[in-house]
Amino acid sequence: MTATERASRIKLLVFDVDGVLTDGTLWFIPTGKDANGQPVAVETKGFSAHDGLGIAIGRMAGLKTAIVTKRQSDTVAVRMRDLKVDYVYQGQHYKMRAVQEICTKEGITLDEVAYVGDDVIDLPVMNHVGLAIAVANARPQVKQMAHWTTTNLPGHGAGRDAIEFILEAQGKLAPAMANYLDEANEGKIADIGQGGM
């Protein structure tokens, strides 16, 4: 099957976070020391507004979204809450377990799942889903396994590329954008900056 044919069947789009929805840079801001005298820091990340708007458009088209990431981050939790991402799994070293659990909850098969990754930790999932997507600067092994590769870099619209590719394959992109821009749907728009930043 072609990548477009695969995309036409997708019901759930799963993203890695670092190096997919962010550029992979991790910022640590020291906040003091813990009870044992060890340094404590807050981890921050930068997210693309293009990806956020894409997730909102995807939701308007009926596309479910999820993130499955190895790291634990309050920043990720806040951003995904603001975007109303359907499933948020952090602290997942073996990501396939989380993806299978989501499939069970949604009543879908792995053929109906797309996954966007950038590094070797993503390969087990990419090997089993219906549509494996690599970001533009993914590791060579990831690009080799991918059915499709984004044009934009991670943290700079790669997530939006994946959403638009899937919706275009399903004939839903133009109607979803029109719905997003319709004033009557203002309350359904997610990316509205509720993070308290």
Side-chain angles (χ1 to χ4, degrees):
M1 274 196 293
T2 67
T4 301
E5 289 169 334
R6 289 174 177 276
S8 70
R9 305 182 307 173
I10 298 304
K11 295 181 179 176
L12 170 72
L13 175 56
V14 182
F15 298 99
D16 177 30
V17 175
D18 297 309
V20 171
L21 293 178
T22 77
D23 68 4
T25 302
L26 303 175
W27 296 94
F28 296 92
I29 301 171
T31 58
K33 297 191 184 259
D34 66 14
N36 298 319
Q38 296 297 313
V40 178
V42 172
E43 179 180 315
T44 65
K45 307 170 190 282
F47 294 94
S48 169
H50 289 187
D51 292 342
L53 195 148
I55 289 170
I57 290 171
R59 186 174 60 261
M60 300 204 79
L63 181 65
K64 297 278 187 157
T65 54
I67 62 109
V68 179
T69 179
K70 183 178 177 183
R71 299 187 65 80
Q72 289 272 12
S73 170
D74 288 342
T75 302
V76 170
V78 168
R79 182 61 174 152
M80 296 309 120
R81 179 199 67 203
D82 287 359
L83 294 175
K84 299 180 185 173
V85 169
D86 297 288
Y87 297 96
V88 177
Y89 284 77
Q90 297 196 67
Q92 305 294 310
H93 177 73
Y94 188 69
K95 298 180 178 187
M96 196 63 207
R97 284 192 203 110
V99 172
Q100 289 171 321
E101 185 174 309
I102 296 168
C103 285
T104 299
K105 288 178 180 178
E106 286 294 317
I108 61 175
T109 66
L110 287 171
D111 287 340
E112 297 170 304
V113 175
Y115 183 89
V116 188
D118 71 306
D119 213 334
V120 294
I121 193 170
D122 302 311
L123 293 175
V125 177
M126 294 178 75
N127 190 42
H128 288 92
V129 296
L131 177 62
I133 300 174
V135 294
N137 67 344
R139 303 305 303 168
Q141 303 94 318
V142 174
K143 285 187 174 181
Q144 287 170 3
M145 185 168 287
H147 301 116
W148 189 75
T149 301
T150 69
T151 302
N152 287 294
L153 291 169
H156 297 277
R160 176 76 165 270
D161 288 351
I163 292 163
E164 291 188 357
F165 178 70
I166 291 166
L167 296 184
E168 184 68 39
Q170 297 176 357
K172 296 179 179 178
L173 182 59
M177 284 190 178
N179 282 338
Y180 181 86
L181 296 172
D182 186 339
E183 185 178 2
N185 290 321
E186 184 176 6
K188 298 177 185 176
I189 298 170
D191 191 10
I192 54 175
Q194 294 297 314
M197 300 296 177

